[in-house]
Amino acid sequence: MTATATPPIDDAPARASIAIALAASLAGALALAVSTPSLTAGVLGFVLVALGLARGWRTAVTLGGAGLFCGVVLAGLVGAPASVVVFATAATVVAWDVATFGIEVGEELGREADTRRLELVHAGASSVVAAIPAGIGLALFRTASGGTALVPIALLCGAVVLVVVLRP
């Protein structure tokens, strides 16, 4: 009897999640071009998210998300428009969530599995979970006649908590 060896499963992150997470993190980083420090933090965050997706490293993705979020805070502190701060924050949340989900899907099902529909549904749900508090935060900001742009960021932090808690 001869045993046939099965080829190893490619556990790299899922392809659709990679594309969506990179697009979201790039959009968030580019939105932070309101100051040099915020843009620098955003670009560093984007690079770390990309590295994490290339290698399947959750830690790099999380550090990248933190870098993007630091860029958001810096943009808010220099007086960036609230819409820019809210957009960059929502993009950061979506990028981090979709990237970590893509890594998990790759590890559990393999890269070659047909998971596009699953990934698109997850990315859509993540976008909605980020967009609802973003819209509420922006509306509250506009109703309150300005102030610091950190109020919408606080609401979007709540979205981050929701995304983390609601994840399977």
Side-chain angles (χ1 to χ4, degrees):
M1 271 180 74
T2 60
T4 58
T6 59
I9 294 175
D10 182 5
D11 64 352
R15 288 185 178 99
S17 292
I18 290 173
I20 295 165
L22 287 177
S25 62
L26 180 61
L30 293 177
L32 297 173
V34 295
S35 74
T36 302
S38 64
L39 180 61
T40 302
V43 169
L44 178 62
F46 169 75
V47 168
L48 286 169
V49 168
L51 177 66
L53 287 168
R55 301 288 187 180
W57 295 339
R58 281 187 189 85
T59 304
V61 168
T62 300
L63 289 173
L68 284 163
F69 189 73
C70 287
V72 168
V73 172
L74 290 169
L77 291 175
V78 298
S83 57
V84 169
V85 174
V86 168
F87 173 78
T89 305
T92 297
V93 170
V94 170
W96 172 80
D97 182 52
V98 171
T100 56
F101 183 75
I103 291 170
E104 290 172 9
V105 167
E107 289 173 350
E108 291 179 17
L109 301 175
R111 184 177 217 169
E112 297 307 317
D114 184 14
T115 59
R116 183 172 306 165
R117 187 174 187 186
L118 170 70
E119 295 171 79
L120 293 175
V121 168
H122 181 85
S126 179
S127 298
V128 168
V129 168
I132 290 172
I136 293 170
L138 196 54
L140 288 174
F141 178 78
R142 301 240 187 252
T143 303
S145 300
T148 66
L150 296 178
V151 173
I153 293 173
L155 286 170
L156 287 172
C157 285
V160 172
V161 171
L162 278 174
V163 167
V164 171
V165 169
L166 295 177
R167 295 217 29 196

